[in-house]
């Protein structure tokens, strides 16, 4: 075989560099969608991982400078869109993608779907200003559609109780995130009737576009458009916008802002209005009294000008007879006005939030006492269990101590037998240790299983109670409605909270 000339032969490094330059020139800047796998972060700050789909994978390198500018953290198993250039790692000849930026894969599609649905509903006129209805200034019955847990419903309750505690508030508890939340929201809107509710609130805390996607459901938007009750939307934060915000009669930036729009007139405003009304009534009666007094003075002067003493005396008697009923009538009207003002003031004091807080404190006395009794019963049972174990330990010690003393004496008389017995016991202990390790929970966890323990009930050694059945979770958590749990995997623990499910009867009562 003839050897190639040195002018035409390429080294491995040269061919890898030229192939990498050719890939970059042909493809340029590309976007690749895939699932992150085999992610590793080097000590230098560079990230190395693979993007895969159901058939193949692509190696990727995400260098430290670009990774520090990326706001989206890399998570194993997440589908992302990676933007970068194709190249070849010269030292190994490996084909890879040099990543410049990474973004979640789902957000872009959701944003495009949002704009498409928004333009179509806008063309149909669902967001037209002439369809917006005014909200009442003094609502008597307010419907709130939201999750019964979280900061949003807490802020709404606190704001309504502070601004207008006279209004009745009915909560429609629904899920505000997930595949079934849109159906629950539509079901809650369908229950709103104008003969029961004056205004409705639909609120939720902030989140990403995918978290708020239930509020962009087309069927829900049309249900809000046809709702007979004026609707105020307070979904997300100031930067979040959903289709429910656009179709609602009024929109607030936050759930607290929605509650404030629902109560434009507060109890403080009503108290000031009643005070102004009482002042105007007092001024009117004082003015009328002054006018009557002036009229009386005029009649007195006319009598003085009449001349005859007898006529003047009779006129004075007549004047005295007219003056007394007039004064009594004016005083009676003033007293009635004062009683009415006092009645209004007593009504306002009766509806003060302080009274409602006292009632709520009285309602908490019963559950608190039951909780204390439950804790006392548990402590008593634990003390009895410890006492029983102590007694059993003493009995075992008294029963086994003579036996082991005899065996110890026999062992002292035969050192060789003791050494032989010690070797046998060590061999037996090693076999039992291997058997215990083979049958232990860690071997089971290696196969993909996990242990579940409670965090509320703790044993004497500091560990939780092992939960074996689902019925034990409901039994242990029935007292408080929630149960702290720890899921023990082979590589670490995860803390979770079990919450008792809300029955359909409780939801309808609320």
């Amino acid at each position: 075989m003839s050897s190639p000339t040195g002018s035409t032969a390429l080294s491995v490094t040269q061919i890898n560099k030229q192939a990498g330059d050719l890939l970059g020139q042909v493809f340029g800047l590309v976007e690749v969608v895939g699932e992150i796998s085999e992610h590793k972060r080097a000590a230098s700050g560079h990230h190395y991982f693979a993007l895969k789909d159901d058939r193949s994978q692509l190696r990727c390198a995400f260098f430290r400078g670009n990774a520090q500018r990326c706001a989206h953290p890399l998570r194993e198993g997440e589908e992302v869109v990676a933007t970068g250039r194709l190249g070849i790692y010269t030292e190994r000849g490996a084909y890879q993608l040099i990543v410049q930026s990474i973004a979640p894969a789902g957000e872009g599609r959701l944003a495009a779907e949002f704009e498409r649905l928004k333009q179509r509903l806008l063309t149909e006129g669902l967001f037209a200003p002439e369809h917006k209805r005014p909200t009442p200034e003094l609502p008597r019955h307010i419907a709130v559609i939201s999750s019964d847990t979280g900061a949003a419903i807490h802020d709404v309750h606190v704001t309504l109780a502070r601004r207008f505690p006279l209004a009745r508030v009915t909560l429609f508890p629904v899920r505000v995130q997930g595949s079934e939340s849109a159906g629950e929201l539509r079901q809650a809107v369908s229950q709103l009737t104008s003969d029961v509710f004056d205004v409705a609130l639909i609120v939720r805390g902030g989140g990403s576009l995918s978290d708020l996607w239930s509020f962009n459901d087309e069927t829900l938007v049309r249900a809000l458009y046809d709702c007979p009750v004026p609707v105020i939307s307070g979904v997300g934060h100031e930067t979040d916008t959903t289709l429910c915000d656009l179709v609602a009669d009024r929109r607030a930036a936050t759930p607290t802002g929605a509650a404030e729009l629902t109560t434009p007139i507060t109890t403080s405003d009503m108290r000031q209005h009643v005070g102004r009304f009482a002042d105007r009534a007092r001024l009117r009666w004082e003015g009328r009294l002054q006018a009557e007094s002036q009229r009386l003075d005029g009649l007195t002067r006319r009598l003085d000008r009449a001349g005859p003493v007898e006529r003047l005396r009779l006129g004075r008697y007549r004047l005295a007879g007219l003056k007394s009923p007039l004064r009594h009538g004016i005083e009676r009207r003033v007293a009635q006005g004062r009683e009415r003002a006092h009645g209004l003031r007593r009504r306002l004091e009766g509806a003060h939030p302080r009274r409602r807080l006292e009632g709520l404190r009285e309602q908490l006395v019963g559950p608190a006492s039951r909780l204390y009794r439950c804790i006392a019963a548990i402590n008593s049972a634990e003390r009895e269990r410890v006492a029983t174990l102590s007694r059993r330990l003493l009995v075992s010690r008294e029963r086994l101590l003579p036996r082991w003393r005899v065996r110890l004496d026999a062992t002292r008389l035969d050192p060789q037998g003791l050494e032989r017995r010690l070797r046998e016991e060590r061999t037996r202990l090693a076999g039992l240790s291997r058997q215990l390790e083979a049958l232990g929970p860690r071997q089971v966890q290696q196969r993909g299983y996990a242990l579940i323990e409670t965090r509320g009930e703790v044993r004497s050694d500091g560990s939780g109670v092992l939960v074996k059945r689902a019925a034990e979770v409901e039994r242990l958590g029935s007292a408080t409605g929630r149960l702290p749990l720890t899921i023990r995997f082979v590589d670490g623990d995860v803390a979770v909270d079990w919450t008792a499910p809300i029955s359909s009867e409780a939801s309808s009562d609320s």
Side-chain angles (χ1 to χ4, degrees), residues 68-84:
Q68 290 177 347
R69 291 190 294 270
C70 180
H72 183 74
L74 299 182
R75 288 187 286 266
E76 189 80 16
E78 182 181 9
E79 187 178 21
V80 297
V81 177
T83 303

Side-chain angles (χ1 to χ4, degrees), residues 60-138:
C60 300
F62 197 18
F63 296 129
R64 182 179 61 184
N66 293 327
Q68 290 177 347
R69 291 190 294 270
C70 180
H72 183 74
L74 299 182
R75 288 187 286 266
E76 189 80 16
E78 182 181 9
E79 187 178 21
V80 297
V81 177
T83 303
R85 297 181 180 275
L86 293 173
I88 293 179
Y89 183 37
T90 306
E91 296 182 3
R92 297 181 181 176
Y95 164 71
Q96 65 180 0
L97 175 68
I98 308 301
V99 180
Q100 297 182 0
S101 63
I102 289 180
E107 296 291 333
R109 292 196 297 270
L110 290 179
E113 176 66 17
F114 175 81
E115 290 298 329
R116 183 190 62 79
L117 185 58
K118 173 183 174 182
Q119 292 301 325
R120 182 158 60 83
L121 297 179
L122 181 63
T123 305
E124 295 181 16
L126 269 67
F127 307 148
E130 55 270 16
H131 178 69
K132 308 297 184 182
R133 294 163 295 184
T135 56
E137 293 184 351
L138 294 174

Side-chain angles (χ1 to χ4, degrees), residues 464-483:
V465 178
L466 184 64
V467 179
K468 300 180 180 179
R469 294 178 176 84
E472 296 182 5
V473 177
E474 296 182 358
R475 178 177 62 80
L476 294 174
S478 60
T480 59
R482 64 182 294 274
L483 181 64

Side-chain angles (χ1 to χ4, degrees), residues 291-326:
E292 292 296 333
S293 299
Q294 292 176 357
R295 179 172 174 271
L296 183 61
D297 293 339
L299 292 175
T300 303
R301 288 191 295 271
R302 288 180 60 187
L303 288 174
D304 290 340
R305 288 193 297 269
V309 177
E310 186 63 22
R311 189 176 179 182
L312 180 60
R313 186 174 60 82
L314 294 176
R316 287 176 178 173
Y317 288 157
R318 183 182 177 186
L319 179 61
L322 294 174
K323 183 177 180 181
S324 178
L326 179 63

Side-chain angles (χ1 to χ4, degrees), residues 197-327:
F197 301 102
D198 299 319
V199 66
L201 289 178
I202 180 169
V203 295
R204 186 205 187 279
S208 64
L209 181 58
S210 59
D211 295 338
L212 303 178
W213 190 249
S214 299
F215 295 88
N216 295 321
D217 182 74
E218 181 178 359
T219 309
L220 174 61
V221 174
R222 295 187 183 277
L224 291 176
Y225 181 80
D226 299 329
C227 180
V229 179
V231 178
I232 298 177
S233 174
V235 179
H237 298 308
E238 296 182 2
T239 57
D240 299 325
T241 301
T242 64
L243 297 181
C244 288
D245 294 331
L246 301 179
V247 76
D249 297 291
R250 298 189 70 179
R251 180 208 174 188
T254 60
T256 302
E260 293 176 351
L261 290 179
T262 309
T263 56
I265 297 179
T266 63
T267 53
S268 177
D269 298 334
M270 295 181 63
R271 188 179 293 108
Q272 295 177 0
H273 178 72
V274 171
R276 290 193 297 268
F277 177 78
D279 293 339
R280 287 198 301 268
R282 179 178 56 79
L283 292 176
R284 288 184 62 184
W285 286 114
E286 289 179 355
R288 185 170 180 180
L289 180 61
Q290 184 178 3
E292 292 296 333
S293 299
Q294 292 176 357
R295 179 172 174 271
L296 183 61
D297 293 339
L299 292 175
T300 303
R301 288 191 295 271
R302 288 180 60 187
L303 288 174
D304 290 340
R305 288 193 297 269
V309 177
E310 186 63 22
R311 189 176 179 182
L312 180 60
R313 186 174 60 82
L314 294 176
R316 287 176 178 173
Y317 288 157
R318 183 182 177 186
L319 179 61
L322 294 174
K323 183 177 180 181
S324 178
L326 179 63
R327 181 180 295 107

Side-chain angles (χ1 to χ4, degrees), residues 437-451 488-492:
E437 183 178 359
L439 298 177
R442 187 169 185 85
Q443 296 297 326
V444 179
Q445 288 177 297
Q446 289 287 352
R447 298 196 296 271
Y449 294 90
L451 299 179
R488 297 190 178 276
F489 295 96
V490 70
D491 58 347

